[in-house]
Amino acid sequence: MGRKFFVGGNWKMNGDKAMIDGIVAFLNQSGNTDNVDVVVAPPAPYLVYVKEQLKSSVEVAAQNCYKVPKGAFTGEISPAMVKDLGLKWVILGHSERRHVFGESDCLIADKTVHAIESGLDVVFCIGEKLEEREAGHTKNVNFRQLQAIVDRKVNWDKIVIAYEPVWAIGTGKTASPEQAQEVHAWIREFLKEKVSADVAEKVRIIYGGSVTAENCVELGKKPDIDGFLVGGASLKPDFVKIINARN
Ligand code: PEP
């Protein structure tokens, strides 16, 4: 299949310089990770601080950016700015952006299109809430969130899809490898039908939601799980074990 394993660390709104120095130290000692794309996303004020200290094989991502290059949008950052810092990645559509900050499918699609046009690669997050899963809407919700970018005819070479069931994020309730694999396979089928067989085969679909050093190996054995987006555990030295889940 040839999809390169991808492990992202989403630090969310955590860390200060002292804590970041510790994280950078264990990342810089993570050995040879040539067969994995490793990308960490610090809070925006620390992007340069992290980039300057990290070994070059670990990429740095923004956790969010807005849909236009500049202007009167207090508090926002643009993909042009992220790019100007020498960074390549941004996370968009994270469940906290969707559900804490009320971002719509349409806004996330606008941001995704603009980020890609500005030269960034995007970790595009989707996922259902607990009540949606319990009501049998898992497929519909994930397909609806994806449809928003299918409609915009994006360049899929620039996208990694992160399936992150909201009920598993930060809760300690990981999706079982079977539950995650089922949704990842649906997503690949959806892409085959709506975009192309080639895109479905090539695009990386990573899993996020309480991934730990303990559960990553079994999750990583599933054929449609191409890596992880990790929150809490990316702040700890065990993150290196998650990076090496397939090794
Ligand atoms: C996340 O923030 O994307 C995430 C998956 O968090 P956690 O690993 O803490 O569940």
Side-chain angles (χ1 to χ4, degrees), residues 42-98:
Y46 297 112
L47 285 168
V48 173
Y49 186 70
V50 173
K51 169 79 177 161
E52 282 174 354
Q53 295 184 75
L54 261 185
K55 63 180 179 179
S56 61
S57 59
V58 178
E59 302 261 14
V60 179
Q63 296 177 12
N64 182 34
C65 61
Y66 198 49
K67 63 178 181 177
V68 292
K70 62 177 181 168
F73 302 102
T74 303
E76 293 292 324
I77 62 173
S78 75
M81 294 168 182
V82 177
K83 184 96 177 124
D84 194 33
L85 298 181
L87 309 182
K88 186 179 161 204
W89 288 92
V90 62
I91 299 172
L92 292 173
H94 190 276
S95 78
E96 287 143 23
R97 299 302 318 174
R98 290 179 187 271

Side-chain angles (χ1 to χ4, degrees), residues 8 10-12 91 94-96 125 162 164-165 168-172 207-212 229-234:
N10 175 15
W11 299 0
K12 312 193 191 204
I91 299 172
H94 190 276
S95 78
E96 287 143 23
C125 306
E164 298 204 295
I169 297 181
T171 60
Y207 168 77
S210 298
V211 174
T212 63
L229 185 56
V230 184
S234 70

Side-chain angles (χ1 to χ4, degrees), residues 72-159:
F73 302 102
T74 303
E76 293 292 324
I77 62 173
S78 75
M81 294 168 182
V82 177
K83 184 96 177 124
D84 194 33
L85 298 181
L87 309 182
K88 186 179 161 204
W89 288 92
V90 62
I91 299 172
L92 292 173
H94 190 276
S95 78
E96 287 143 23
R97 299 302 318 174
R98 290 179 187 271
H99 303 303
V100 180
F101 298 100
E103 292 191 5
S104 65
D105 292 342
C106 178
L107 174 60
I108 296 162
D110 285 346
K111 289 177 167 200
T112 302
V113 168
H114 180 61
I116 293 172
E117 281 171 358
S118 307
L120 295 182
D121 286 13
V122 175
V123 178
F124 181 82
C125 306
I126 59 174
E128 80 286 356
K129 295 194 264 189
L130 183 59
E131 58 267 34
E132 293 166 333
R133 174 166 277 260
E134 287 176 345
H137 295 151
T138 298
K139 216 182 220 184
N140 292 349
V141 170
N142 284 285
F143 287 5
R144 189 202 74 225
Q145 292 174 351
L146 268 178
Q147 187 69 48
I149 55 170
V150 168
D151 289 341
R152 304 293 296 273
K153 308 237 178 312
V154 290
N155 177 356
W156 290 90
D157 292 341
K158 310 282 286 174
I159 292 178

